[in-house]
Amino acid sequence: MKDIHGGNIWAAARATGRPPGDWLDFSASINPLGAPPWVRAAARAALGQVAHYPDPECAGLASAAAARYGLDPACIRFGNGAAELIHLLVAALAPKAGLVLAPTFSRYAAALRQAGAAVTELDAWPDPPSAAALAGWMASAPDPAVIFLCNPNNPTGRLLPPELLQAALAQERVWVVVDEAFLDFVPGADSLLSLAGRHPRLVVLKSLTKLYAIPGLRLGWLAGPPGLVARLRQLQVPWSVNGPAAAAGLAALTGPESDWTERTQRAVVRGRATAFRRLAPLASWLQPQPSDCNYYLVRLTGVTGTTLQERLLPHGILVRICSGFSGLSDEYLRLAVRPSGETARLANALAAVLL
């Protein structure tokens, strides 16, 4: 059961016989409010157009994102989730070396290694690396080279220090990719999108699947220099974004409820506080770690993540064990912020398997 993580309810269903719809998934960090009604309606309506190929340029999506964020459409490219765009970026940049934090999202290092690039990891837990350490690597890195920074970092849930981002952007030789997939869940957080297209070596990754709770549709986008975006277009498989996904994304970017992000942030702050309060009686085994977004690490004592995951399966609950993250071990879980009723069910199940 070790491989059942990260929202893989299908593997859990096959392994246990419990239908996919019967699971509470704390392993996937999506919006606890679920998908907005207008986004779901747009995806359903697009099914009437499935006899036609989708727009390979995603022109409507690019125009909507450009209008919303004050960008040039030529600086924007949509893809089949951020994972596709990460691999496309590495293929386009063809770096000799890459830098990632540890722990962080595994696709950065995976894409780099698949492309034959040397991968350096900087220790980022429990404290982020210093700006000096980042600058030192950049000064000695071969050309071309790339840095992947996840802000807030996954799986720690913590924002990167501003001085770390500033150090990365202060140079002009190394490509900097900043993944902001979860930044919309953080109240008052500053995005780097305003610099995208103007900084010669900055790429900003964004995701619509997390904030709008549509991971099954697979939709992400990036903003960067027009020349690089044009190269991505040449490398990308045609029709990477399907019609219902494009329709849902357009509805998300132009939707009727302007305060969706603010509503989400309030729900996350409340939900995270509720989760920490519910888990407090289990402090002998579980110690939730501070987080800035819609997921958080839990340090374990006297029990492993693998053991807890297995014990929770009969309760229909999935959790993310962290032994697969470089820099962490089976002594950590990552849990998503979910609605209060689901959090109560998780806490009760944990108490049943621990007490």
Side-chain angles (χ1 to χ4, degrees):
M1 305 304 295
K2 188 175 182 179
D3 292 333
I4 297 179
H5 61 74
N8 196 345
I9 60 172
W10 313 104
R14 288 192 297 270
T16 64
R18 182 187 290 267
D22 286 354
W23 291 88
L24 285 186
D25 192 358
F26 282 83
S27 73
S29 304
I30 63 172
N31 195 328
L33 297 180
W38 63 91
V39 171
R40 294 197 302 269
R44 285 195 299 268
L47 293 176
Q49 301 296 320
V50 295
H52 305 288
Y53 285 99
D55 177 8
E57 299 303 318
C58 295
L61 283 170
S63 295
R68 178 164 176 171
Y69 296 103
L71 301 171
D72 183 344
C75 297
I76 294 172
R77 192 69 189 170
F78 277 78
N80 189 256
E84 183 203 18
L85 296 172
I86 290 166
H87 283 263
L88 279 174
L89 278 169
V90 172
L93 298 174
K96 296 178 181 178
L99 179 73
V100 298
L101 305 185
T104 196
F105 185 42
S106 63
R107 295 319 309 170
Y108 312 141
L112 288 165
R113 291 190 174 107
Q114 286 176 15
V119 178
T120 299
E121 295 181 340
L122 285 184
D123 185 10
W125 180 256
D127 298 311
S130 67
L134 193 71
W137 183 88
M138 291 187 295
S140 61
D143 189 29
V146 61
I147 297 171
F148 281 96
L149 298 173
C150 189
N151 191 38
N153 192 31
N154 176 18
T156 67
R158 295 183 182 178
L159 288 171
L160 298 179
E163 57 269 22
L164 196 68
L165 295 170
Q166 292 165 4
L169 297 176
Q171 51 77 46
E172 296 182 354
R173 195 173 62 86
V174 177
W175 284 92
V176 180
V177 180
V178 180
D179 186 346
E180 296 185 351
F182 294 99
L183 194 68
D184 288 327
F185 292 99
V186 185
D190 293 324
S191 171
L192 294 178
L193 270 179
S194 62
L195 296 178
R198 296 192 290 116
H199 190 289
R201 295 215 167 192
L202 170 66
V203 178
V204 179
L205 283 168
K206 304 293 285 189
S207 172
L208 293 175
T209 62
K210 278 64 169 192
L211 181 64
Y212 294 97
I214 50 172
L217 289 177
R218 311 302 308 130
L219 188 62
W221 62 285
L222 60 74
L228 175 61
V229 171
R231 173 63 175 154
L232 296 176
R233 178 183 179 276
Q234 294 172 347
L235 294 173
Q236 192 173 29
V237 174
W239 309 297
S240 174
V241 176
N242 67 68
L250 187 61
L253 290 167
T254 62
E257 188 167 343
S258 60
D259 67 343
W260 180 252
T261 300
E262 288 77 12
R263 280 185 58 197
T264 296
Q265 291 171 354
R266 291 194 295 270
V268 166
V269 170
R270 290 194 304 269
R272 194 170 59 231
T274 297
F276 282 33
R277 185 171 64 252
R278 286 279 191 178
L279 295 178
L282 304 174
S284 297
W285 295 274
L286 313 173
Q287 299 89 44
Q289 304 299 298
S291 169
D292 296 306
C293 63
N294 62 318
Y295 52 87
Y296 53 96
L297 284 181
V298 177
R299 190 192 303 268
L300 305 177
T301 302
V303 65
T304 67
T306 299
T307 297
L308 270 188
Q309 183 191 63
E310 292 174 349
R311 291 179 181 177
L312 289 172
L313 290 176
H315 295 265
I317 296 175
L318 287 182
V319 295
R320 178 66 154 102
I321 57 176
C322 291
S323 55
F325 286 102
S326 179
L328 290 180
S329 68
D330 207 17
E331 297 175 350
Y332 287 91
L333 292 178
R334 189 195 67 196
L335 297 177
V337 174
R338 301 297 304 154
S340 60
E342 295 183 12
T343 300
R345 182 172 157 186
L346 170 68
N348 290 337
L350 285 168
V353 302
L354 288 171
L355 298 178

